[in-house]
Amino acid sequence: MKSTITAVSVLSIGQVDPKIFGGFAEHLGRCIYEGIYEPGSALSDEQGYRQDVIEAVRRLRMPVMRYPGGNFVSCYDWRDGIGPREKRPARVDYAWQSLETNEFGVDEFIPWCRKVGTEPMLAVNLGTLGTLEAAHLLEYCNLETESEWVRRRRANTGHEKGYGIKLWCLGNEMDGPWQAGHVPAHEYALRADAASRMMKGLDPSIQTIAVGSSARGMKTYLEWDRQVLEHCWDTVDYLSAHRYSNNSANHSAEYLAEGVEIDRILTDYAGLLDYVRGVKKSHKRVYLSFDEWNVWYHSHGQREPKQLWTKAPHLLEDIYNVEDALIAAQYLNAFIRRADIVKIACIAQVVNVIAPIMTRQDGLFLQTIFYPFEMLSTHARGQSLSLSIQSPTYSAGKHGQVPVLDAACTLDPSTGRLMLSTVNRSIESEQVVEFEILDRKLQQVLFSQQIGGTDLKQTNSFDRPDAVVPTLARANIDDRKLRLKLPPTTHAVIVIDTSER
Ligand code: AHR
């Protein structure tokens, strides 16, 4: 089968914000304890941070890292996690029915971010705490005055200067009845607006993210978002969106069309953001922070009762396969395609909990979903280009006929480098992809790798860490066109040096 992709450099959708390659670390399962932080381990540094994890996360080049939740944040008092460790209280975590020892808190998270090379994106509890506690956390983190919270930061950490944290999530999934402190949209909107105003009053350099719908399947989907946006338009900078994908039905042809659903959500939000902007007659823009996305279903129902109310239980430890990696690639392609509205996105999560990295005491392995993320966060730069794609279609269950090819493309005007990311959704057929950019010369292929294969259920593991890893993609430039032979169910990333025609 053959597909063609045509681009023109002036037809740009928008600048790709590197923050779409963000991560998320929640106090959940073994993400923090045994993942990020394991004092006493031979693999940890003197502060207790797992060095192998730091190395692996660095490879993902995540500009931002959301913390500390997730559902966890809505039951969390950040003040429990600061000060001398021996004085920190152990608490039950209602969200995940675990034990939280508070050995790790904001003063441990921020130095870890510095080691990884990422910017913290902190969530405040607007479920069971309020505006004042949120403002105090900001004061503790960012201010440089003589107040009590600033004095405590200085005493606890020696940090004279503030941490300078710019991104603040105003709660988490407050539309969900499972969320501690869940309220109707109008009430959340009042909370978010008040918190954002007070926090920006303390530090006008910050940006805030209001909670949007937690899933497209929610009864209040878009209506929740509309109410929140209409109330908070002038005080917030982003609206959040979340999605988790699954192949519980074991219908791979349907599952592989997941990008269609992701595009649909982004189209819904593009419409809503424009609508509210129009109603407000506003010149301001509010963008989308897609701050939880991933595949989540392999671990459903795996919780053992004996792990209730214990520290770092094995929770949400999905082991990912080839088809899941193709879903991860489609999320990222979709975010690139909507570079005009998606300015932040965070894979949920970063280690051990629905994560690209899995640890045990003696090491780690990289999951299949690690590689599309690594390839794209390394190579997607500059402008997202509008593409004309001619692709055969296939029958994708409830989605009907869907294009076999999913693609995104970026061009960095400062270097002339072009990146093409393509997924062949076909389970049976190779795709010959011909790519052309009408107003540029394709000089040479600088990078060409692919990940996938026909054994859709193949995973990596401690025993076989390299069962699914990238291999060389068959790409060459021929008569001003790039020709790529893309095997069935494969994701490829090609980087090409281009020059003016
Ligand atoms: O990432 C796991 C959970 O999924 C988060 O805690 C919550 O925000 C979402 O429902």
Side-chain angles (χ1 to χ4, degrees):
M1 286 201 282
K2 186 177 154 189
S3 296
T4 62
I5 306 178
T6 313
V8 188
S9 68
V10 287
L11 293 182
S12 157
I13 297 161
Q15 175 83 19
V16 175
D17 193 318
K19 292 196 290 299
I20 65 168
F21 298 108
F24 172 35
E26 178 168 5
H27 283 253
L28 195 184
R30 300 189 308 121
C31 179
I32 303 295
Y33 307 113
E34 298 183 21
I36 287 175
Y37 185 69
E38 198 169 15
S41 161
L43 297 172
S44 296
D45 64 14
E46 55 296 344
Q47 281 98 41
Y49 302 117
R50 280 278 296 253
Q51 284 171 300
D52 54 343
V53 173
I54 290 175
E55 289 307 316
V57 180
R58 273 194 197 138
R59 281 178 59 179
L60 293 175
R61 290 181 173 78
M62 294 173 154
V64 290
M65 189 71 63
R66 184 167 173 255
Y67 171 86
N71 297 342
F72 173 81
V73 79
S74 297
C75 310
Y76 179 56
D77 188 335
W78 67 271
R79 296 165 296 196
D80 291 339
I82 58 166
R85 278 220 182 78
E86 61 286 1
K87 291 198 177 145
R88 297 188 195 175
R91 304 267 189 213
V92 289
D93 161 31
Y94 296 92
W96 299 105
Q97 298 179 295
S98 309
L99 183 72
E100 176 51 59
T101 60
N102 283 308
E103 293 153 76
F104 190 100
V106 68
D107 290 328
E108 285 73 33
F109 177 66
I110 289 163
W112 180 78
C113 288
R114 304 289 183 239
K115 285 180 189 242
V116 165
T118 187
E119 280 301 317
M121 168 170 161
L122 290 188
V124 298
N125 177 352
L126 289 189
T128 56
L129 292 181
T131 304
L132 193 61
E133 290 89 349
H136 284 165
L137 175 58
L138 173 66
E139 187 183 330
Y140 182 83
C141 289
N142 282 12
L143 264 61
E144 292 175 11
T145 180
E146 300 302 318
S147 75
E148 172 60 12
W149 286 115
V150 177
R151 186 195 67 72
R152 286 210 213 169
R153 181 193 71 231
R154 289 178 172 146
N156 291 340
T157 67
H159 265 268
E160 279 302 303
K161 296 229 169 280
Y163 293 134
I165 295 169
K166 297 293 177 219
L167 290 171
W168 294 82
C169 304
L170 303 170
N172 175 69
E173 293 190 350
M174 293 294 295
D175 62 323
W178 60 86
Q179 200 68 207
H182 156 68
V183 281
H186 63 270
E187 198 168 326
Y188 168 71
L190 293 174
R191 289 186 194 177
D193 187 56
S196 195
R197 276 176 202 278
M198 192 156 167
M199 292 167 78
K200 288 186 172 182
L202 277 172
D203 181 351
S205 74
I206 66 165
Q207 292 191 310
T208 56
I209 300 141
V211 166
S213 287
S214 52
R216 187 158 184 261
M218 298 298 291
K219 267 208 271 225
T220 51
Y221 177 64
L222 292 185
E223 177 51 21
W224 166 282
D225 309 76
R226 182 192 65 76
Q227 289 190 37
V228 171
L229 279 176
E230 285 195 5
H231 192 83
C232 302
W233 186 265
D234 293 325
T235 47
V236 305
D237 304 280
Y238 305 88
L239 181 75
S240 75
H242 293 176
R243 180 174 176 82
Y244 290 101
S245 307
N246 72 77
N247 189 12
S248 301
N250 197 18
H251 187 333
S252 293
E254 186 173 280
Y255 182 49
L256 287 163
E258 184 64 8
V260 170
E261 286 289 307
I262 303 162
D263 283 344
R264 203 163 279 159
I265 294 173
L266 299 182
T267 305
D268 290 346
Y269 277 107
L272 182 68
L273 290 166
D274 273 351
Y275 167 78
V276 179
R277 188 163 175 256
V279 166
K280 294 267 165 195
K281 302 184 179 66
S282 170
H283 292 295
K284 179 185 174 183
R285 287 210 169 270
V286 172
Y287 294 106
L288 205 60
S289 170
F290 214 112
D291 45 38
E292 286 187 34
W293 68 266
N294 204 349
V295 172
W296 175 12
Y297 77 104
H298 297 285
S299 62
H300 285 172
Q302 273 174 9
R303 182 164 195 161
E304 292 182 28
K306 68 172 193 282
Q307 291 200 325
L308 275 182
W309 312 115
T310 59
K311 180 185 170 190
H314 287 254
L315 294 180
L316 281 62
E317 300 207 359
D318 282 47
I319 301 300
Y320 293 116
N321 58 30
V322 165
E323 60 186 11
D324 300 328
L326 304 187
I327 304 306
Q330 290 181 59
Y331 270 102
L332 295 170
N333 280 355
F335 299 152
I336 293 169
R337 282 195 291 269
R338 288 316 303 244
D340 54 335
I341 57 160
V342 186
K343 298 295 178 185
I344 302 175
C346 305
I347 187 172
Q349 300 190 5
V350 70
V351 53
N352 288 336
V353 171
I354 42 173
I357 301 161
M358 295 300 291
T359 68
R360 65 181 186 195
Q361 279 178 349
D362 60 348
L364 59 76
F365 77 89
L366 305 177
Q367 298 236 49
T368 59
I369 60 168
F370 183 95
Y371 297 103
F373 195 105
E374 183 188 37
M375 290 194 282
L376 282 163
S377 68
T378 306
H379 295 294
R381 292 281 176 284
Q383 301 292 318
S384 168
L385 299 189
S386 175
L387 299 177
S388 164
I389 302 177
Q390 307 300 319
S391 160
T393 60
Y394 77 106
S395 174
K398 67 177 180 205
H399 304 298
Q401 288 294 310
V402 164
V404 162
L405 205 68
D406 180 89
C409 175
T410 61
L411 176 68
D412 185 344
S414 67
T415 59
R417 281 194 182 177
L418 182 142
M419 187 282 315
L420 178 67
S421 167
T422 53
V423 175
N424 179 4
R425 293 178 171 130
S426 171
I427 296 174
E428 295 97 25
S429 314
E430 177 180 276
Q431 277 294 304
V432 177
V433 181
E434 277 188 6
F435 170 83
E436 187 176 18
I437 179 160
L438 298 178
D439 54 348
R440 312 260 323 159
K441 247 193 231 151
L442 302 181
Q443 298 287 9
Q444 58 166 325
V445 174
L446 302 173
F447 175 91
S448 73
Q449 291 215 333
Q450 63 183 31
I451 184 154
T454 45
D455 183 357
L456 297 179
K457 306 300 179 189
Q458 180 66 58
T459 61
N460 290 336
S461 62
F462 280 103
D463 293 336
R464 289 194 64 199
D466 296 334
V468 188
V469 291
T471 56
L472 194 67
R474 288 172 295 160
N476 67 292
I477 296 167
D478 174 11
D479 187 27
R480 295 183 161 191
K481 287 186 182 168
L482 175 88
R483 283 186 117 241
L484 166 67
K485 288 189 176 164
L486 197 55
T489 43
T490 294
H491 170 227
V493 171
I494 314 293
V495 180
I496 308 159
D497 195 15
T498 73
S499 60
E500 278 178 22
R501 265 210 170 154

